[in-house]
Amino acid sequence: MTLPLSDLAAVLPELIVVTAACLVLGLDPITPASKKDALAWLSLGSLVICLGFTASQMGGRTSAFSDLVIIDPYACFWKLLLYLVTGLTILLSFAYLKEEHLHLGEYYGFILLALSGMMVMVSAADLLTIYLGTELMSLSLYVMAGLKRSEPRSLEASAKYFVLGAFSSGLLLYGISLLFGAAGATRLSAIAIAVAARGLDDPVVLLAMILLAVGFGFKLAVVPFHMWTPDVYEGAPTSVTAFMAVASKAASFGAFLRVFVEGLGGLKANWQPLFLAVCLATLVLGNVVAIVQTNIKRMLAYSSIAHAGYALIGLVAAGRAADGTGATGLASVMLYLAVYAFMTLGAFAVVAMLRKGGLEGEEIEDFTGLAKRQPVAALLMLVFMVSLAGIPPTAGFIGKFYLFMAAVNGGLAWLAVVALLFAAVSAYYYLRVVMVMYMREPEPGSAPVPYLAASPALSIVLACAIAGVVLLGLFPNPLVSLTAQAVLVLK
């Protein structure tokens, strides 16, 4: 069997990332512990090459391997976001891994393997290809969650993530097999035609749709499939948690939207009320349970659950859009996840920075008096918390504004009001961190706190995150235009 060069050229970024991952894993055993940073730079170099190549593909639409893979503006948008998040995660890991005494070059190899799975997910036009991408991403993340082998909670996080992830993969595969039985194909285009022919009441198609929704629900961490999230976020190394919270969620939403828009768009009358119920449950549970958390990683875990609920508003609104394309709602989801990447990565970068100097930095109490001993870090955390709460003029406000406008335009003004109320609830637990940093004094007699200095790599991460949060809040038009050009059309 020969593979056309045009097909290989279409997936060149995936090939580059996989090759770089193999190189990193191969070179790791012969690389001294003091030279492991070279493997990180090799990983970053591969991302820069992929960034340029994917940007050049942004304007066109190419299919490869008999329509197994589609390179369109939608796929390119998600890939560019994933490169950015992966690059910042690698930079974030430089100092953090040294603090944790994790001299593991394989860490960067697993990041690249997870990224390659995510790239396959967002550009696949076939359910089995999406499944393979999902598994490649998930298997890499299972390993990365347990990299702190000396800590029982890290191993527990990895085990829980693996067991529940395997369960969700089984459900996803069962849904794919049912849909194959009903449609006779796994290509999304063929499924769309078969669904239109079988009608909205076909029980096999409906059961397959529900199983697919459950399978993706685990990956998106929406209620009631969110159980793994707090324990895994808390137990995994902070840099891994940041990567999971942002990149994994973005890739899962990218694949999820393509399946339900291009493949199951004809069933929008069925999935729209289903996702509306999931959206409401996710908003309520994520925001309410986050209030009582004392560990900041668990708080951000429930926060990420709530943000998945906000993002679902865009899909629900797309299903009710008057123009039938749902472009505004779908574009608002893409925009929201892009701004979510900056503010969440920034928050985790500050948590990782607190780890320096012997502080654990994971309990909210560890932030007591941070404004006095580290005013810049406190100010950065303040901006990220304000943005996560959706307060203007930050990017978080812009993201929520477009989601709520999509809901209003879709005739769901009441949903926008409910989401607005829970955004107000979220302000309580985000601003509690700000209050602890600025309005509390350390306990009398507590040990002196060392001055915390960010490494150059961590400084770059924080600078990029704060620039994204501030600039996208003040000048959102370029990102709005990009999402409008890259959005899928609901069929």
Side-chain angles (χ1 to χ4, degrees):
M1 185 179 69
T2 57
L3 295 174
L5 285 177
S6 59
D7 287 356
L8 293 175
V11 296
L12 188 58
E14 284 85 347
L15 296 177
I16 291 173
V17 171
V18 171
T19 304
C22 294
L23 270 176
V24 169
L25 293 174
L27 292 173
D28 180 38
I30 59 174
T31 305
S34 60
K35 305 289 184 185
K36 297 290 186 187
D37 283 356
L39 302 177
W41 289 113
L42 172 62
S43 306
L44 286 172
S46 68
L47 293 181
V48 171
I49 297 171
C50 292
L51 188 72
F53 195 83
T54 301
S56 70
Q57 295 176 315
M58 189 74 189
R61 178 185 173 89
T62 307
S63 63
F65 303 106
S66 304
D67 293 336
L68 282 175
V69 173
I70 289 182
I71 311 300
D72 57 3
Y74 178 79
C76 292
F77 171 85
W78 290 112
K79 284 185 184 179
L80 292 173
L81 181 62
L82 292 172
Y83 298 151
L84 178 65
V85 171
T86 306
L88 292 177
T89 302
I90 291 173
L91 288 172
L92 169 63
S93 306
F94 273 30
Y96 179 77
L97 293 184
K98 289 174 184 170
E99 288 299 325
E100 296 289 348
H101 305 291
L102 294 173
H103 303 295
L104 302 170
E106 68 201 56
Y107 172 88
Y108 302 108
F110 283 118
I111 281 188
L112 292 179
L113 286 177
L115 172 64
S116 62
M118 295 172 190
M119 293 165 69
V120 171
M121 288 170 68
V122 298
S123 58
D126 183 279
L127 286 176
L128 285 179
T129 311
I130 290 173
Y131 178 77
L132 291 175
T134 305
E135 286 306 288
L136 181 54
M137 173 192 76
S138 301
L139 289 171
S140 304
L141 292 179
Y142 300 151
V143 176
M144 292 170 67
L147 278 179
K148 289 171 78 171
R149 297 165 193 158
S150 59
E151 290 196 11
R153 66 174 183 168
S154 183
L155 299 177
E156 180 187 345
S158 179
K160 281 185 179 176
Y161 197 19
F162 171 72
V163 171
L164 292 174
F167 180 64
S168 70
S169 294
L171 291 175
L172 188 63
L173 198 55
Y174 191 38
I176 292 172
S177 63
L178 279 180
L179 207 49
F180 176 73
T186 52
R187 298 281 195 284
L188 295 179
S189 55
I191 289 171
I193 295 171
V195 164
R198 294 177 73 101
L200 299 179
D201 300 326
D202 189 301
V204 177
V205 174
L206 290 180
L207 180 58
M209 182 198 76
I210 292 171
L211 288 172
L212 286 176
V214 172
F216 278 111
F218 275 97
K219 305 301 178 190
L220 302 174
V222 294
V223 176
F225 315 111
H226 65 285
M227 298 79 73
W228 59 271
T229 314
D231 291 339
V232 174
Y233 275 34
E234 183 184 7
T238 302
S239 56
V240 177
T241 307
F243 188 61
M244 283 194 294
V246 179
S248 170
K249 196 177 286 290
S252 299
F253 260 104
F256 168 68
L257 290 181
R258 193 186 284 278
V259 169
F260 279 86
V261 169
E262 290 197 334
L264 301 175
L267 295 174
K268 67 180 181 182
N270 298 99
W271 54 247
Q272 195 266 347
L274 172 68
F275 291 136
L276 176 59
V278 172
C279 170
L280 286 170
T282 305
L283 283 175
V284 173
L285 187 138
N287 281 305
V288 171
V289 180
I291 292 175
V292 298
Q293 301 305 314
T294 57
N295 181 291
I296 194 159
K297 288 172 75 175
R298 290 185 74 87
M299 188 269 276
L300 289 173
Y302 281 103
S303 157
S304 83
I305 293 170
H307 284 287
Y310 291 120
L312 277 180
I313 292 174
L315 180 60
V316 172
R320 289 279 299 266
D323 62 0
T325 67
T328 304
L330 297 174
S332 68
V333 179
M334 299 166 71
L335 185 143
Y336 191 73
L337 288 167
V339 301
Y340 171 77
F342 287 103
M343 50 197 187
T344 302
L345 259 180
F348 277 110
V350 176
V351 174
M353 182 180 169
L354 269 183
R355 185 69 181 88
K356 188 175 177 67
L359 287 178
E360 188 60 33
E362 294 182 5
E363 295 295 325
I364 293 177
E365 291 301 319
D366 292 339
F367 288 76
T368 302
L370 187 67
K372 289 188 176 177
R373 64 180 191 265
Q374 190 71 5
V376 176
L379 180 62
L380 292 173
M381 195 63 169
L382 180 150
V383 175
F384 297 135
M385 291 294 109
V386 165
S387 185
L388 283 166
I391 297 172
T394 59
F397 168 75
I398 296 297
K400 284 189 173 64
F401 174 78
Y402 278 93
L403 281 173
F404 297 167
M405 284 303 297
V408 172
N409 292 336
L412 294 165
W414 65 269
L415 179 60
V417 172
V418 170
L420 188 61
L421 289 175
F422 280 100
V425 171
S426 73
Y428 172 80
Y429 56 81
Y430 289 128
L431 297 183
R432 184 178 56 171
V433 179
V434 176
M435 185 272 291
V436 167
M437 290 190 300
Y438 281 89
M439 302 177 68
R440 276 197 191 168
E441 297 291 337
E443 291 291 332
S446 59
V449 179
Y451 183 78
L452 308 175
S455 65
L458 187 56
S459 299
I460 294 173
V461 177
L462 290 168
C464 290
I466 201 72
V469 168
V470 174
L471 294 179
L472 291 177
L474 297 174
F475 310 104
N477 285 343
L479 182 59
V480 173
S481 301
L482 184 63
T483 55
Q485 293 168 13
V487 71
L488 296 175
V489 175
L490 187 57
K491 298 176 181 175

